[in-house]
Amino acid sequence: EVQLVESGGGLVQAGGSLRLSCAASGFTFDDYAIGWFRQAPGKEREGVSCISSSDGSTNYADSVKGRFTISSDNAKNTVYLQMNSLKPEDTAVYYCAAAPDIFIATMAPRDFGSWGQGTQVTVSS
């Protein structure tokens, strides 16, 4: 069974940091890209960052460039999202999902699957 499980969310003040984890199981991790997405209340789900598990190539949304860093530990089948300099507008439920590498550039939620249950990130001002 393909499964992605997010963890690491929480409440943090503006300017603070959090590290999210996405643990994958049930598929060949190296064959897929893993993406982080977020959805705030009343808004559409949007791509935040993606990483190829095979070659480490990455992509970031403009809104998080320079503040967020995605990384992968293939030995643990886990992808991390280090979030620094958090802003209130980063508040959302964060999800991870998998897709073939070709979808890294567009980072569109419709192209990703096997969604996790999400983890809440709340940034207070």
Side-chain angles (χ1 to χ4, degrees):
E1 177 188 4
V2 176
Q3 192 172 23
L4 296 174
V5 179
E6 304 95 338
S7 61
L11 173 64
V12 64
Q13 289 188 333
S17 298
L18 284 173
R19 189 178 81 155
L20 305 183
S21 299
C22 173
S25 62
F27 63 98
T28 304
F29 187 73
D30 292 357
D31 288 346
Y32 289 89
I34 302 295
W36 282 100
F37 300 82
R38 65 188 182 186
Q39 188 165 19
K43 295 189 176 181
E44 293 187 354
R45 191 169 298 188
E46 63 176 355
V48 174
S49 183
C50 289
I51 187 167
S52 165
S53 300
S54 61
D55 65 12
S57 57
T58 60
N59 189 22
Y60 294 91
D62 288 343
S63 59
V64 306
K65 282 180 181 177
R67 300 189 298 122
F68 291 10
T69 303
I70 193 169
S71 61
S72 178
D73 185 337
N74 286 27
K76 295 182 178 180
N77 284 5
T78 300
V79 169
Y80 304 97
L81 185 68
Q82 178 66 44
M83 306 187 296
N84 298 329
S85 302
L86 282 162
K87 304 175 181 180
E89 52 262 44
D90 294 317
T91 296
V93 178
Y94 283 70
Y95 300 89
C96 61
D101 280 2
I102 60 171
F103 295 115
I104 288 178
T106 53
M107 209 160 51
R110 66 178 181 272
D111 295 322
F112 284 72
S114 302
W115 294 86
Q117 83 287 350
T119 186
Q120 176 72 46
V121 171
T122 303
V123 184
S124 62
S125 57

